[in-house]
Amino acid sequence: VQLQASGGGLVQPGSSLRLSCAASGFVFRDYAIGWFRQVPGKEREGVSIISALGTSTYYSDSAKGRFAISRDYARNMVYLQMNTLKPEDTAVYSCATVRSITTSGDTITYYTGVENWGRGTLVTVSS
């Protein structure tokens, strides 16, 4: 199982970025996949998760309304579109598989079993 994040960079507050997660070595449509971020000295935070079939999603409170997760089954890719970026979004963003999710309609309400971490990509939001 391999996951590789890319697309990070240095951007100004209010800008947008699209992160990409390339997946290989497993049956892509069998796994929920999530984006997580970490700032040195702080706990890793779950940002957004998309279910295996793409019908349910999770967004952290800080991501709601600004970020959008999607997946492309033809390319085995998961994307995180990040808009209206803020300095507090600065972090290393990584993608990973999520073994178990609980849903309520189109919303993921609980998740566990985050594994198969890929190398992250640094997002820096600064003027």
Side-chain angles (χ1 to χ4, degrees):
V1 176
Q2 265 199 320
L3 294 167
Q4 177 70 55
S6 62
L10 171 63
V11 296
Q12 292 190 337
S15 298
S16 298
L17 268 181
R18 189 178 81 156
L19 303 184
S20 300
C21 175
S24 61
F26 62 101
V27 180
F28 183 69
R29 63 176 61 249
D30 283 352
Y31 286 80
I33 294 178
W35 284 97
F36 303 83
R37 67 186 185 187
Q38 190 165 26
V39 176
K42 292 189 176 181
E43 283 194 11
R44 185 176 279 149
E45 173 192 9
V47 177
S48 184
I49 298 168
I50 188 165
S51 62
L53 296 181
T55 54
S56 300
T57 56
Y58 163 85
Y59 293 99
S60 65
D61 287 343
S62 60
K64 282 178 187 173
R66 298 189 299 128
F67 295 2
I69 192 169
S70 60
R71 60 193 298 166
D72 183 335
Y73 295 90
R75 293 179 171 82
N76 284 7
M77 298 287 291
V78 177
Y79 302 103
L80 185 68
Q81 178 67 43
M82 306 189 296
N83 300 321
T84 320
L85 283 162
K86 305 175 181 179
E88 50 263 44
D89 293 319
T90 296
V92 174
Y93 287 72
S94 304
C95 51
T97 58
V98 180
R99 184 161 30 88
S100 178
I101 61 171
T102 301
T103 61
S104 176
D106 62 358
T107 301
I108 295 171
T109 56
Y110 178 77
Y111 64 90
T112 188
V114 181
E115 51 198 12
N116 300 312
W117 293 95
R119 182 186 296 181
T121 185
L122 176 63
V123 173
T124 304
V125 185
S126 175
S127 54

